Amino acid sequence: MKNIMVVATGGTIAGIGEKGKTVAYHAGEISVEDILKSIPSVEKIAHIQEIQLFNVDSNEIDETKWLVLAKKINELIQSEKIDGIVVTHGTDTIEETAYFLSLAVHSDKPVVITGAMRPATATSADGPYNLYQAIALAGNEQSKGQGVMVLFSNTIYSGRDIQKVNNYKIDAFDQKAFGCLGYMQDEHVYFFSKTFKYHTYQSIFSKNLPDALPKVGIAYFYAGADPYILDYLAQNHEGIVIAGSGNGNYSQKWLNRINELSESKQIIFVRASRVPLGIVFSDHVFDPHEQCIASNTLSAQKARILLSFALSITHDKQQIKEIFENY
């Protein structure tokens, strides 16, 4: 059996509420040790160790905690006595943490993130089974080199492409139009695809993580939106991601202000879309000066993470554009 380290950060999987109920609970209340005790059969599929790194609601996860988590994983995963890592996490920001770790973990060993939509005290809590399968996935030979994955509701997702699409059902995730990486039945793993974007041991960012990352904000465009939000963000951010309409679009007023801030303050802008499916391409007609870098298929929140990493090594717009094309 493989040796799997479970790194716990809290979330609904560690949540406590009224016995049997699925709502009105506090996330990040019980320990990972207690969660593992509720899955006695897990001892048959792996040798398990656990670390309670954090125990918080995932909305409390920020860049500082991301770096602590990534550095801890990079430290643990170097050991020959550890074959894979499982991270327990809240679902609200799990897609952001998954992409961050995809860029920050420097190893081809499996790293699997999982969580729950129902607290531990709910009837038919989904956390224990998700954790059981995540441990099995992290210990499976086929998982090596697949990058950071998320295991949820019998489904294996890429850390780059997973997105939360439902805030109510236990089958709460999807992977845009690409399909998932594979499925699981109990502890059995079935892969059908893989991501071709750079990740983990291929990532130029994972080799030497900084102690802090440049600040990048997100500006959400809507009909009639005042471009003042761009001025506000430009006061203390090195980069701004636009969550635009359609193909990452925005008004002429926003376009003019983006051009001005790009020139006067050297702010790096990225165009993403508030539309959940599709791709954002460069558009020299819409953006004649090409001040904004296209986010490709990344959501605004994931484009923010990649831009922050990119700005930690360069402010050259062409280099950052190439990074967005490859990651």
Side-chain angles (χ1 to χ4, degrees), residues 67-171:
L67 286 167
V68 170
L69 174 60
K71 289 179 179 181
K72 174 56 71 174
I73 290 173
N74 282 337
E75 172 193 324
L76 293 168
I77 215 161
Q78 299 307 313
S79 172
E80 294 181 359
K81 297 179 180 179
I82 294 178
D83 299 304
I85 302 282
V86 170
V87 178
T88 60
H89 196 286
T91 61
D92 281 352
T93 62
I94 200 171
E95 62 195 82
E96 292 168 79
T97 296
Y99 188 50
F100 184 93
L101 293 180
S102 293
L103 301 173
V105 170
H106 192 68
S107 175
D108 65 350
K109 292 181 182 179
V111 175
V112 182
I113 311 176
T114 196
M117 288 296 289
R118 295 172 177 169
T121 47
T123 300
S124 299
D126 54 325
Y129 189 61
N130 284 340
L131 181 53
Y132 175 83
Q133 289 196 318
I135 290 168
L137 180 61
N140 191 285
E141 280 295 324
Q142 299 177 73
S143 298
K144 190 174 183 180
Q146 295 278 4
V148 173
M149 297 168 284
V150 179
L151 185 286
F152 219 90
S153 193
N154 292 305
T155 310
I156 307 166
Y157 298 100
S158 152
R160 180 190 186 275
D161 300 314
I162 185 173
Q163 59 180 358
K164 190 170 184 177
V165 296
N166 197 296
N167 64 0
Y168 180 73
K169 296 181 179 180
I170 59 170
D171 188 11

Side-chain angles (χ1 to χ4, degrees), residues 53-275:
L53 192 63
F54 313 121
N55 207 358
V56 297
D57 186 301
S58 68
N59 292 295
E60 302 301 327
I61 298 289
D62 56 16
E63 295 87 348
T64 300
K65 287 185 173 66
W66 276 339
L67 286 167
V68 170
L69 174 60
K71 289 179 179 181
K72 174 56 71 174
I73 290 173
N74 282 337
E75 172 193 324
L76 293 168
I77 215 161
Q78 299 307 313
S79 172
E80 294 181 359
K81 297 179 180 179
I82 294 178
D83 299 304
I85 302 282
V86 170
V87 178
T88 60
H89 196 286
T91 61
D92 281 352
T93 62
I94 200 171
E95 62 195 82
E96 292 168 79
T97 296
Y99 188 50
F100 184 93
L101 293 180
S102 293
L103 301 173
V105 170
H106 192 68
S107 175
D108 65 350
K109 292 181 182 179
V111 175
V112 182
I113 311 176
T114 196
M117 288 296 289
R118 295 172 177 169
T121 47
T123 300
S124 299
D126 54 325
Y129 189 61
N130 284 340
L131 181 53
Y132 175 83
Q133 289 196 318
I135 290 168
L137 180 61
N140 191 285
E141 280 295 324
Q142 299 177 73
S143 298
K144 190 174 183 180
Q146 295 278 4
V148 173
M149 297 168 284
V150 179
L151 185 286
F152 219 90
S153 193
N154 292 305
T155 310
I156 307 166
Y157 298 100
S158 152
R160 180 190 186 275
D161 300 314
I162 185 173
Q163 59 180 358
K164 190 170 184 177
V165 296
N166 197 296
N167 64 0
Y168 180 73
K169 296 181 179 180
I170 59 170
D171 188 11
F173 292 91
D174 204 342
Q175 191 168 295
K176 292 187 174 284
F178 309 125
C180 60
L181 297 182
Y183 298 99
M184 292 188 69
Q185 180 64 46
D186 295 326
E187 71 274 19
H188 303 292
V189 177
Y190 303 92
F191 278 106
F192 293 98
S193 63
K194 65 187 297 183
T195 179
F196 291 95
K197 295 295 185 179
Y198 293 161
H199 59 74
T200 53
Y201 63 97
Q202 306 160 332
S203 169
I204 56 175
F205 312 112
S206 67
K207 296 173 183 176
N208 187 24
L209 291 178
D211 292 325
L213 287 167
K215 291 190 69 175
V216 174
I218 298 175
Y220 194 97
F221 178 78
Y222 52 91
D226 193 322
Y228 170 74
I229 186 64
L230 302 174
D231 295 276
Y232 175 78
L233 290 173
Q235 293 176 25
N236 59 357
H237 292 80
E238 295 181 39
I240 298 174
V241 175
I242 310 295
S245 60
N247 184 38
N249 299 329
Y250 36 80
S251 67
Q252 187 65 45
K253 287 182 179 179
W254 274 48
L255 176 61
N256 294 340
R257 197 67 192 119
I258 287 167
N259 289 336
E260 291 167 5
L261 291 170
S262 295
E263 297 297 330
S264 64
K265 292 201 170 186
Q266 303 301 303
I267 303 294
I268 301 295
F269 285 89
V270 169
R271 287 173 49 236
S273 177
R274 66 188 195 185
V275 180

